[in-house]
Amino acid sequence: MAAGVATWLPFARAAAVGWLPLAKKTMPKPPVDNTSRSDEILYVNVSGVRFQTWKNTLDRYPDTLLGSSEKEFFFNEDTQEYFFDRDPEMFRHILNFYRTGKLHYPRHECIQAFDEELAFYGIVPEIIGDCCMEEYRDRKKENQERLAEDTEANESTDAPLPPHSTPRERLWRAFENPHTSTMALVFYYVTGFFIAVSVIANVVETVPCRPPKGKVKDLPCGEKYDLAFFCMDTACVLIFTFEYLMRLFAAPSRCKFMRSVMSVIDVVAIMPYYIGLVMPENEDVSGAFVTLRVFRVFRIFKFSRHSQGLRILGYTLKSCASELGFLLFSLTMAIIIFATVMFYAEKGTASSTFTSIPASFWYTIVTMTTLGYGDMVPSTIAGKIFGSICSLSGVLVIALPVPVIVSNFSRIYHQNQRADKMRAQQVCMHLCFQTHLDRDRDSDSTALCVKNRSAFEHQHHHLLHCLEKTTNHEFTDEMNYSELCMTESVGFRTSRSTSLSSQQGAQNNSTGCCPRRVRRRAAMRLANSTVSVSRGSVQELDTLQFKTTTIPHQTRSSLNAQPDNLKLNCGEQDFTAAIISIPTPPANTPDESLPPSPAPIPGILRNTQATAYTHESFKISSL
Amino acid sequence: MGAVVGTLTMQTKSRRLSRDKADDDLEMTVVCHRPEGLDQMEAQTNFSKRELQVLYRGFKNECPSGVVSEETFKQIYSKFFPHGDASAYAHYLFNAFDTGHTGSIKFEDFVTALSILLRGSVTEKLQWTFNLYDINRDGYINKEEMTDIVRAIYDMMGKYTYPVLKTDAPKQHVDAFFQKMDKNRDGVVTLDEFILSCQEDENIMRSLQLFENVI
């Protein structure tokens, strides 16, 4: 059951009568409600399908198209109804949102069409109910990835070159799309061949060859034919260096190119050779030099420019980074636990291989991954029991994230396949793509930011003000509260500027919502100094922002939703506290030496307090 | 092999959960209440037919079953006072609304109370307030009852107030109240004393007219 707060506000205000005999101060005047009291039925015609609803229903969300005065633009005088030239099927769902307070995502509808409708009617997708939120998010993510693929296909399409391209641009294009010109294709295959040659040479030079005449021991081929291998290596490195320098020259943005993964791999692949040339041939450093040669194996990664499958794998791993991280973390935890247990279980035995806990790590890893080398084996009964538990749990821990990674990979792989098919189609049909990415839609909402000070907010504000008057205390926030506690304990005299703005600023305010009124009146007067800092009294109103974007109407819908229904998507937390400051004159101060609060001060206060209110937003969202 | 085990475990999802929830929902929707006729209500309260219609539409929308339980009542009321804890005061309010002591508020109770609070005479309003304060309904307000009510109201303010809320603030408030209301100094306030004292206070009289235009 969604409790519509707006409906219960009259009851809450009526219940305030119960405070009246207790009130210490006079109650503030109620807000003037100019809206007409009578409720009427509105007719909404959406592409021929006529909908009827109460005006009150639409007024529940004043910051949407239908709830605000924007719908007057669509009013048809002749037929006395609101006409929208949109999809009536979708409109059903939109209207149900007004009626029930919950927005549902129809599964059979296209996600983009749905998003467009929401944007048109000024509704933020974040308020989709829990029942449909997951489906919505999945479809949206899928769609975004598909669109990203499309733009990538777009960019790398074999469209003809722009007419006035410099040789540099042509060169870059030749490198990125080898299919464009014959020269590029030749170069592409030549580099591919030399990568293969280099990798094979690296592998073969460690194979033991028959020793030359006169020696007994087997020699690795690299040392026997070292001149040949050196020549081969030099040739490969020359080609790679040439290719890298050409790419660097042709790249449109050199910094970006140098930071890209492929260029790093290129550098790492050719660096050891040059370092080896530079370094002298003495025994001390040649050990370090040998380690550097290991990096030559990274040349194999250069193949990823040639192979799409490799790229897909890399992309999959990147997109499953969190799952992999979780797997790693849980494995580490399990390893440490089991290693400790095994070590202490096997500590007693005389010839135990479990010499220390780090030594037991090896046993645990080998057991949990079900390898079971057998170099370390428990001999005590306790050790065997724990060892079997270890191997059983290893199976479970590793099995958990694997399906997620697998499904991710298959999804990305299928998308790639689809992209290839589409590319083939385009080449045949000579179609022009449009950029489907509407960046506005993907980023923060395009919904209307009509900041209506609704009657609901007026009245809620009045209600809270009445409570303040009853108890003769005021609402404040955590920061000010701690400040006040400090000042009271230190013993400074805080002279209050008792500015009771009985007009409540109701007329002064332009926007604002459910109130959190803070009166910053710390006009502290130090006992022994004549300088008094009057910060003026500022009356500030916050908007109750739940975890949403800057649309105040979220207060209503969020209050409508059940407390645990508010969930974020994409981890975006746009907390905004729209703070409106009204400078009120510090009247009735006992000491007339206080300087009047100048106008800029409220502005400064507003800025400094902006961050403080993130606390409040957090607090309120616990509703 | 690990992957097989993993996929199997993920397939048998939470089918259990949905079944249990369905059973719970089935039980809850059995209780349903319909209010008496519109004409009767119009006669008994100070609202017009239109106003009753608006009220009922809102009420029915939020509570399709036709009754409000105390839990729901507390939740709704707490939404208006996010700073503090409104549950104590909501409890007393609930008892004041639920004149028949049935444990749930029906639409008739709701409308009756609203009729008094918004459209009633001064005496009726004060009587309603007296009933609210008189927790045990014995016709007298003693200091303990008043302290409970006042403490509940202060709880709604929350922790962060200016000036800082002292622990004896409710007690002081109650003492001041009794000072004003208890004419014969017998430690309890009766209905007549209450009404008399309120009628003498200009502020209270004026503020009683505040909420006339709520509906």
Side-chain angles (χ1 to χ4, degrees):
Chain A
M1 180 185 80
V5 184
T7 329
W8 293 92
L9 184 62
F11 136 73
R13 298 184 68 212
V17 168
W19 305 334
L20 296 178
L22 288 168
K24 288 188 172 173
K25 301 252 174 91
T26 45
M27 288 292 159
K29 282 205 273 287
V32 176
D33 197 355
N34 294 328
T35 59
S36 63
R37 292 261 166 238
S38 60
D39 206 1
E40 45 173 349
I41 293 188
L42 296 180
Y43 299 94
V44 181
N45 186 340
V46 183
S47 300
V49 181
R50 256 177 130 232
F51 294 89
Q52 297 173 7
T53 179
W54 292 108
K55 188 169 181 300
N56 271 354
T57 312
L58 294 181
D59 285 343
R60 279 192 202 155
Y61 300 100
D63 288 309
T64 57
L65 187 155
L66 291 169
S68 65
S69 54
E70 194 186 347
K71 62 177 184 280
E72 303 303 326
F73 285 100
F74 298 92
F75 190 69
N76 189 346
E77 293 291 342
D78 308 323
T79 53
Q80 286 292 302
E81 59 187 15
Y82 295 92
F83 181 76
F84 294 100
D85 197 9
R86 311 285 299 188
D87 187 1
E89 289 295 319
M90 296 283 201
F91 189 75
R92 231 174 29 88
H93 300 286
I94 306 276
L95 198 53
N96 273 337
F97 164 62
Y98 284 91
R99 290 179 181 140
T100 60
K102 284 205 219 128
L103 182 62
H104 293 282
Y105 167 60
R107 277 164 177 74
H108 56 271
E109 297 285 354
C110 169
I111 184 82
Q112 233 174 326
F114 188 67
D115 267 347
E116 281 168 18
E117 294 297 312
L118 286 187
F120 179 80
Y121 290 108
I123 297 174
V124 184
E126 273 77 25
I127 49 172
I128 291 182
D130 254 359
C131 40
C132 302
M133 189 45 141
E134 206 174 308
E135 171 87 19
Y136 174 80
R137 259 188 260 158
D138 284 343
R139 294 273 286 263
K140 188 132 193 217
K141 195 164 156 202
E142 217 175 301
N143 197 43
Q144 275 174 347
E145 278 175 14
R146 190 168 44 82
L147 290 172
E149 283 281 336
D150 284 350
T151 46
E152 214 182 283
N154 209 12
E155 279 158 24
S156 61
T157 193
D158 299 336
L161 270 173
H164 308 291
S165 55
T166 65
R168 184 175 157 187
E169 281 174 14
R170 275 205 291 263
L171 193 61
W172 178 249
R173 246 180 120 263
F175 274 125
E176 292 299 298
N177 303 342
H179 311 282
T180 44
S181 75
T182 333
M183 269 306 295
L185 208 59
V186 162
F187 188 70
Y188 176 74
Y189 282 123
V190 161
T191 38
F193 173 71
F194 271 99
I195 295 174
V197 160
S198 162
V199 169
I200 292 174
N202 276 348
V203 166
V204 166
E205 76 181 4
T206 57
V207 170
C209 280
R210 224 172 314 157
K213 285 200 193 62
K215 295 251 174 58
V216 178
K217 204 174 69 158
D218 264 347
L219 221 57
C221 284
E223 282 178 34
K224 190 170 171 195
Y225 302 105
D226 67 336
L227 193 60
F229 277 104
F230 181 72
C231 292
M232 217 182 305
D233 205 22
T234 314
C236 294
V237 167
L238 279 176
I239 302 262
F240 297 154
T241 319
F242 174 71
E243 182 206 355
Y244 180 70
L245 289 174
M246 284 288 108
R247 275 183 201 263
L248 190 61
F249 166 70
S253 155
R254 297 222 170 95
C255 290
K256 192 166 144 225
F257 172 72
M258 290 189 72
R259 280 201 303 257
S260 71
V261 174
M262 289 310 302
S263 102
V264 166
I265 290 178
D266 287 339
V267 168
V268 164
I270 60 181
M271 261 320 172
Y273 178 80
Y274 289 110
I275 295 179
L277 281 183
V278 169
M279 273 208 298
E281 280 289 344
N282 57 352
E283 287 299 314
D284 304 332
V285 288
S286 79
F289 170 62
V290 164
T291 356
L292 275 181
R293 288 166 77 96
V294 167
F295 286 103
R296 290 186 306 167
V297 79
F298 279 92
R299 287 179 198 164
I300 208 170
F301 282 116
K302 288 165 71 76
F303 267 130
S304 59
R305 273 213 187 94
H306 300 247
S307 151
Q308 207 187 29
L310 220 65
R311 272 205 302 270
I312 296 177
L313 189 63
Y315 184 65
T316 311
L317 290 176
K318 197 167 65 161
S319 70
C320 304
S322 66
E323 278 90 18
L324 285 176
F326 165 68
L327 171 65
L328 215 62
F329 175 68
S330 58
L331 268 179
T332 315
M333 263 180 29
I335 286 171
I336 294 178
I337 292 175
F338 279 110
T340 315
V341 166
M342 289 307 296
F343 171 71
Y344 284 113
E346 290 287 306
K347 201 161 174 208
T349 50
S351 62
S352 163
T353 42
F354 295 82
T355 49
S356 66
I357 293 187
S360 312
F361 283 164
W362 174 243
Y363 168 75
T364 319
I365 293 174
V366 166
T367 315
M368 282 185 91
T369 52
T370 68
L371 276 174
Y373 286 134
D375 54 348
M376 288 167 80
V377 173
S379 40
T380 59
I381 298 207
K384 286 185 179 162
I385 292 175
F386 286 119
S388 40
I389 297 175
C390 175
S391 66
L392 287 173
S393 63
V395 166
L396 289 173
V397 167
I398 294 184
L400 284 173
V402 168
V404 180
I405 299 176
V406 165
S407 72
N408 264 359
F409 181 81
S410 88
R411 184 172 49 106
I412 294 171
Y413 181 71
H414 286 304
Q415 278 179 3
N416 243 280
Q417 294 231 304
R418 207 192 43 84
D420 285 346
K421 263 192 252 175
M422 267 178 53
R423 215 173 297 160
Q425 271 185 355
Q426 284 159 23
V427 168
C428 292
M429 291 166 61
H430 304 285
L431 278 178
C432 275
F433 276 134
Q434 289 173 12
T435 46
H436 297 283
L437 268 185
D438 187 5
R439 285 198 176 75
D440 290 337
R441 203 162 292 131
D442 291 338
S443 65
D444 291 346
S445 73
T446 55
L448 299 167
C449 234
V450 179
K451 294 206 186 227
N452 270 333
R453 183 82 191 269
S454 70
F456 170 78
E457 290 148 8
H458 275 290
Q459 291 167 0
H460 192 190
H461 180 165
H462 178 248
L463 182 68
L464 290 175
H465 200 178
C466 288
L467 182 61
E468 284 182 342
K469 288 281 173 282
T470 309
T471 54
N472 201 18
H473 286 72
E474 285 164 13
F475 293 112
T476 174
D477 67 348
E478 211 170 321
M479 303 278 281
N480 292 339
Y481 179 74
S482 43
E483 224 180 76
L484 290 168
C485 286
M486 281 193 321
T487 57
E488 280 194 9
S489 60
V490 176
F492 283 121
R493 277 164 54 202
T494 63
S495 68
R496 296 196 259 150
S497 45
T498 58
S499 54
L500 297 169
S501 58
S502 55
Q503 76 269 21
Q504 301 180 47
Q507 295 88 356
N508 296 348
N509 278 4
S510 53
T511 70
C513 219
C514 305
R516 288 282 298 239
R517 290 159 89 244
V518 170
R519 219 161 274 201
R520 292 272 293 192
R521 12 156 94 179
M524 303 213 281
R525 197 191 320 158
L526 303 175
N528 52 0
S529 111
T530 50
V531 175
S532 56
V533 177
S534 155
R535 295 215 213 137
S537 74
V538 221
Q539 194 172 354
E540 298 181 328
L541 298 168
D542 270 358
T543 58
L544 258 180
Q545 294 292 351
F546 292 88
K547 303 172 188 174
T548 62
T549 55
T550 57
I551 314 256
H553 92 276
Q554 290 308 312
T555 55
R556 185 79 61 80
S557 59
S558 314
L559 289 171
N560 272 341
Q562 284 175 353
D564 49 351
N565 268 0
L566 298 173
K567 286 220 176 68
L568 262 192
N569 64 339
C570 313
E572 257 179 294
Q573 307 215 2
D574 288 338
F575 281 89
T576 58
I579 307 175
I580 316 299
S581 310
I582 312 147
T584 54
N588 306 339
T589 52
D591 186 14
E592 292 305 314
S593 70
L594 285 175
S597 61
I601 286 189
I604 297 170
L605 277 177
R606 190 189 308 153
N607 291 335
T608 54
Q609 286 202 341
T611 48
Y613 283 109
T614 51
H615 286 292
E616 297 180 339
S617 309
F618 273 105
K619 232 174 58 143
I620 296 167
S621 66
S622 63
L623 271 184
Chain B
M1 191 230 9
V4 171
V5 173
T7 39
L8 278 180
T9 47
M10 281 182 71
Q11 290 289 354
T12 57
K13 269 215 266 193
S14 47
R15 255 175 255 256
R16 287 270 147 176
L17 271 171
S18 51
R19 216 186 300 144
D20 290 344
K21 255 196 92 183
D23 291 343
D24 285 340
D25 285 336
L26 214 53
E27 285 176 26
M28 270 176 59
T29 49
V30 171
V31 177
C32 194
H33 177 84
R34 292 196 175 79
E36 50 192 55
L38 193 55
D39 297 322
Q40 268 177 295
M41 274 202 185
E42 193 192 3
Q44 285 169 0
T45 64
N46 302 332
F47 288 120
S48 70
K49 269 213 176 118
R50 275 216 153 207
E51 290 167 337
L52 284 171
Q53 281 180 339
V54 170
L55 278 173
Y56 187 66
R57 278 208 303 271
F59 186 84
K60 179 81 176 173
N61 214 15
E62 310 313 327
C63 314
S65 58
V67 291
V68 189
S69 67
E70 187 165 345
E71 262 316 302
T72 325
F73 193 85
K74 281 188 182 166
Q75 277 172 20
I76 294 169
Y77 202 68
S78 304
K79 291 215 167 112
F80 291 102
F81 303 97
H83 318 268
D85 177 23
S87 54
Y89 189 69
H91 170 75
Y92 298 128
L93 261 187
F94 186 84
N95 288 339
F97 269 72
D98 184 16
T99 42
H101 303 288
T102 53
S104 58
I105 298 181
K106 301 183 287 295
F107 184 62
E108 292 96 330
D109 304 326
F110 185 66
V111 156
T112 318
L114 277 187
S115 161
I116 296 173
L117 287 172
L118 301 176
R119 302 288 163 86
S121 67
V122 167
T123 322
E124 286 175 350
K125 287 183 190 172
L126 291 174
Q127 204 161 356
W128 190 90
T129 317
F130 184 85
N131 270 332
L132 173 69
Y133 295 159
D134 185 14
I135 300 177
N136 56 2
R137 304 275 183 279
D138 61 352
Y140 300 105
I141 305 178
N142 51 14
K143 277 216 168 159
E144 286 82 33
E145 290 173 338
M146 209 55 228
T147 317
D148 286 339
I149 297 271
V150 170
R151 195 168 294 129
I153 294 181
Y154 273 87
D155 280 344
M156 284 199 284
M157 290 294 295
K159 198 170 121 183
Y160 304 119
T161 57
Y162 174 82
V164 181
L165 209 53
K166 301 201 178 36
T167 38
D168 63 345
K171 187 173 175 309
Q172 286 182 349
H173 204 141
V174 171
D175 290 335
F177 178 79
F178 266 80
Q179 193 82 352
K180 198 167 76 169
M181 300 282 169
D182 191 6
K183 294 277 192 264
N184 55 1
R185 301 273 176 265
D186 59 355
V188 291
V189 178
T190 62
L191 180 61
D192 301 315
E193 285 178 345
F194 183 72
I195 295 182
L196 219 62
S197 318
C198 287
Q199 280 173 338
E200 286 168 8
D201 190 337
E202 272 300 313
N203 277 338
I204 297 182
M205 285 295 113
R206 218 174 326 132
S207 49
L208 278 175
Q209 319 302 326
L210 266 182
F211 298 102
E212 306 258 281
N213 63 344
V214 166
I215 299 277

